[in-house]
Structure formats: C-alpha cells, structure tokens
Amino acid sequence: QLQEVESGGGLVQPGGSLRLSCAASGFTLDSHAVGWFRQAPGKEREGVSCISSSGHSTTYADAVKGRFSISRDNDKHTVYLQMNSLKPEDTAMYYCAVGVFRTCVSLSRRDFGSWGQGTQVTVSS
C-alpha cells in the first residue's frame, strides 16, 4: 500500500517556525513532484507548495511566499516544508501528496494522487 507519512506539526506561537517532513512507505518519492496542501476547519483543501522531482523547481501559494520553503533530500527520500513567520491563519491540517508528474504543473488537487494522513499545525498565543 502506498502511503506518505507527514510529521513535524505542533503548536507554535505567532512568528514561530516549524519544519514538516514527508516520507513515503511502500515506494520512493524521488521520481515524483511532491506537494504540500492544507485544510482548515470548514474550508477547502488548498495547495501550499510543490517541488519537482529533481528539486530544481518550486511553486508557492501567494499566502506563503517569502515565509515557507520547500526542499527535498532524495537520498533520504524525504520532502520538507520549512515554515517561518507563522500566522494564526496558517493553522490547518497539512498534507503531503505525490504529484502525477515529475514537474509542478499546478497546485491543484487534480495534479496529485496519493495523499498522507496529515499533521496538525496550530499557530496560537
């Protein structure tokens, strides 16, 4: 069974930082673009960031540009999302997802297939 495992979420104060990790069970992420999405209560799941299979190309949603940074270590088969200057509106369940393609075509859910179970990020004082 293909499954991604997210970790690194937690409770942080506004202005703080967290680093999320995404690893895969049953396959490797190396040949796929990988995206991070988030879903707040009562809202639709939205794309946050994407990184190509090579790591040479990245995409960010406007809401997180300049604050979040996506990276990958294909030797460790892991994708990271470094989140800085966190705001209360960043509070959500964060999911990683495997892209259909090697490149980041978009941050639309239709371009991503297998999803993880999510890790909760709460930004609150």
Side-chain angles (χ1 to χ4, degrees), residues 41-107:
K43 294 188 177 181
E44 293 188 358
R45 192 171 297 188
E46 63 176 358
V48 174
S49 184
C50 176
I51 187 166
S52 64
S53 61
S54 66
H56 294 159
S57 177
T58 58
T59 302
Y60 297 93
D62 289 343
V64 306
K65 281 181 181 176
R67 300 188 297 122
F68 290 12
S69 178
I70 191 170
S71 62
R72 68 190 301 159
D73 185 337
N74 283 344
D75 289 337
K76 295 182 179 179
H77 313 300
T78 303
V79 174
Y80 305 97
L81 184 68
Q82 178 66 43
M83 305 186 296
N84 299 327
S85 302
L86 283 162
K87 305 175 181 180
E89 50 263 44
D90 294 319
T91 296
M93 186 72 79
Y94 283 71
Y95 302 88
C96 67
V98 178
V100 174
F101 308 105
R102 288 180 175 266
T103 58
C104 297
V105 177
S106 74
L107 288 175

Side-chain angles (χ1 to χ4, degrees), residues 37 39 44-47 106-113 115:
F37 290 73
Q39 187 167 17
E44 293 188 358
R45 192 171 297 188
E46 63 176 358
S106 74
L107 288 175
S108 171
R109 292 180 63 179
R110 66 174 181 268
D111 291 327
F112 294 85
W115 294 81

